[in-house]
Amino acid sequence: MDKNLLQTTGEYVKETASWEWLKYFTDARIALGRTGCSLLTQDYLNFSMAHAKAKDAIQTPFDRENLRLRLQELGLKSLYVESAAHDRPTFLARPDLGRQLDEHSKDRLTQLNYPGTDILIVIGDGLSSKAVHKQAVPLISQFLPYLKELKLHLAPIVLANQCRVALGDDIAERMHCKLVVMMIGERPGLSSPDSLGVYITYQPYRGRLESDRNCLSNIRPEGLSYEKAAFKLAWLIDAAFYRQTSGTQLKDLSDDPSQQYRISPLTDVHFI
């Protein structure tokens, strides 16, 4: 490292402003000081706290009742389902069970006898229920005006416990919906324990490949904003119905103004 980037203060080495200013562009741990070959105590404590928050995000129970009430305030109905992973340890050890409905939920959806509609939104805890608690309702609130503009109909929102992404395909197939939007907590990182992911699948059914989906990730105020995510989601849904496909066959061109002839941002959204 260039010696001009370091300054020695007492017994430890600290980065100077010529390196530290790069922190403005990232949450990554850069420009950390050191004492000998070790991190400074405060940097070590900050790392330990971030690690604890990530572990906590994975283990926090999914508060579906609170979400149901908040969705109700938006005029949206919801229902509960469970995956075949009936507890958190099983969910973490058996991803395959998180992709399947349990028998009770299968019976519930069969008895519901839902006739089908355009779009189903599934909200699943995934690997960070904290992300879902914080980001899902604000994102849906931003998305609803686009839904009205697109003149597409929405099924009751499904709140899925111990949920992996592919569970949405099973639910949507049983509810006869043309497209499923899975909103799910992403694997927490050391700088983002509350990041929401959104997966869009056209003509969902059990056994759909991951390459059949489009994904929007890092949805949170510090990442992809609700306004930008809602527009991208609406654009992808509109394009999926127009082209009758999703996944690798559908590229996200929403940032290109020349591709926004079918739908344009309802708010002052600027892309860089």
Side-chain angles (χ1 to χ4, degrees):
M1 181 180 290
D2 189 335
K3 64 180 181 180
N4 294 325
L5 299 181
L6 299 175
Q7 66 180 12
T8 303
T9 304
E11 297 180 353
Y12 67 88
V13 178
K14 183 180 180 181
E15 305 294 346
T16 66
S18 60
W19 173 241
E20 190 167 348
W21 69 275
L22 290 172
K23 288 183 175 181
Y24 176 81
F25 299 100
T26 178
D27 289 332
R29 285 169 174 78
I30 63 172
L32 302 181
R34 59 183 172 84
T35 175
C37 61
S38 301
L39 288 174
L40 299 178
T41 300
Q42 189 58 55
D43 292 330
Y44 173 77
L45 292 175
N46 291 341
F47 177 88
S48 298
M49 176 60 74
H51 189 245
K53 287 181 178 180
K55 293 171 64 177
D56 188 51
I58 292 175
Q59 297 294 345
T60 299
F62 189 16
D63 188 356
R64 292 187 291 183
E65 181 60 17
N66 179 267
L67 270 183
R68 184 189 69 80
L69 293 174
R70 292 166 65 194
L71 290 169
Q72 187 174 291
E73 292 176 358
L74 296 177
L76 300 173
K77 297 180 179 179
S78 57
L79 57 97
Y80 296 169
V81 298
E82 314 289 333
S83 79
H86 288 150
D87 55 55
R88 204 61 177 171
T90 302
F91 169 79
L92 295 173
R94 292 286 305 274
D96 58 312
L97 295 181
R99 303 184 185 108
Q100 307 171 36
L101 288 167
D102 71 356
E103 294 302 321
H104 181 66
S105 296
K106 292 178 184 178
D107 292 342
R108 184 183 307 163
L109 293 180
T110 299
Q111 294 169 10
L112 179 64
N113 195 28
Y114 191 73
T117 192
D118 299 316
I119 300 173
L120 172 69
I121 294 178
V122 179
I123 302 177
D125 49 358
L127 289 169
S128 175
S129 57
K130 283 189 173 182
V132 176
H133 297 158
K134 292 179 65 176
Q135 325 300 358
V137 174
L139 174 58
I140 291 173
S141 179
Q142 292 287 332
F143 171 67
L144 289 179
Y146 289 109
L147 190 65
K148 184 177 181 180
E149 181 180 337
L150 292 171
K151 297 181 173 59
L152 294 174
H153 297 94
L154 184 66
I157 293 178
V158 176
L159 305 177
N161 196 36
Q162 313 294 6
C163 173
R164 300 280 179 172
V165 172
L167 189 68
D169 298 336
D170 194 353
I171 299 167
E173 183 180 13
R174 294 175 189 276
M175 293 181 67
H176 313 291
C177 295
K178 299 174 185 176
L179 181 144
V180 63
V181 175
M182 168 63 78
M183 299 184 178
I184 193 166
E186 294 181 335
R187 181 180 288 105
L190 293 177
S191 61
S192 56
D194 55 0
S195 179
L196 185 74
V198 173
Y199 295 81
I200 303 104
T201 311
Y202 182 74
Q203 291 185 338
Y205 56 81
R206 282 164 285 175
R208 268 294 202 183
L209 300 176
E210 296 304 314
S211 57
D212 295 330
R213 317 185 198 286
N214 292 87
C215 177
L216 301 173
S217 63
N218 195 31
I219 300 172
R220 57 193 182 105
E222 302 83 359
L224 183 62
S225 70
Y226 305 134
E227 294 82 5
K228 290 182 180 179
F231 170 65
K232 282 180 170 288
L233 175 57
W235 192 96
L236 285 167
I237 288 173
D238 188 39
F241 276 102
Y242 182 69
R243 301 176 187 176
Q244 298 185 2
T245 190
S246 61
T248 56
Q249 301 301 312
L250 178 61
K251 303 303 181 184
D252 179 8
L253 302 176
S254 60
D255 296 358
D256 182 354
S258 69
Q259 300 294 324
Q260 296 174 10
Y261 61 96
R262 293 178 58 83
I263 187 170
S264 57
L266 295 178
T267 55
D268 187 21
V269 175
H270 299 286
F271 296 99
I272 299 176

